[in-house]
Amino acid sequence: MQLMVAVGIGIVPACGVYLLLRGRTFLMVFGLSLVSSAANLFILSMGRLRPGAPPIVAVGVDQYADPLPQAPVLTAI
């Protein structure tokens, strides 16, 4: 899963940069949107990928979801 997310985060900005360099207005706007979405995915992935893990674990356990990467993404949206 981590490899798939890493490849996705690599392909999305590459497509965005390609569209930015095309020179047409609509394609530039769409490319900028792709680049900003890729940046949000990158920031969100820095909070560690744990498939199947609950966001909040029982009281007394030291494992919980890190809310810090989610805050800038929500601000960017």
Side-chain angles (χ1 to χ4, degrees), residues 33-60:
S33 173
L34 281 177
V35 170
S36 67
S37 296
N40 287 337
L41 282 174
F42 177 71
I43 292 170
L44 195 61
S45 69
M46 289 190 317
R48 287 195 225 158
L49 297 171
R50 286 183 259 159
I56 300 173
V57 186
V59 177

Side-chain angles (χ1 to χ4, degrees), residues 9-19 35:
I9 292 173
I11 289 175
V12 171
C15 293
V17 169
Y18 174 74
L19 290 175
V35 170

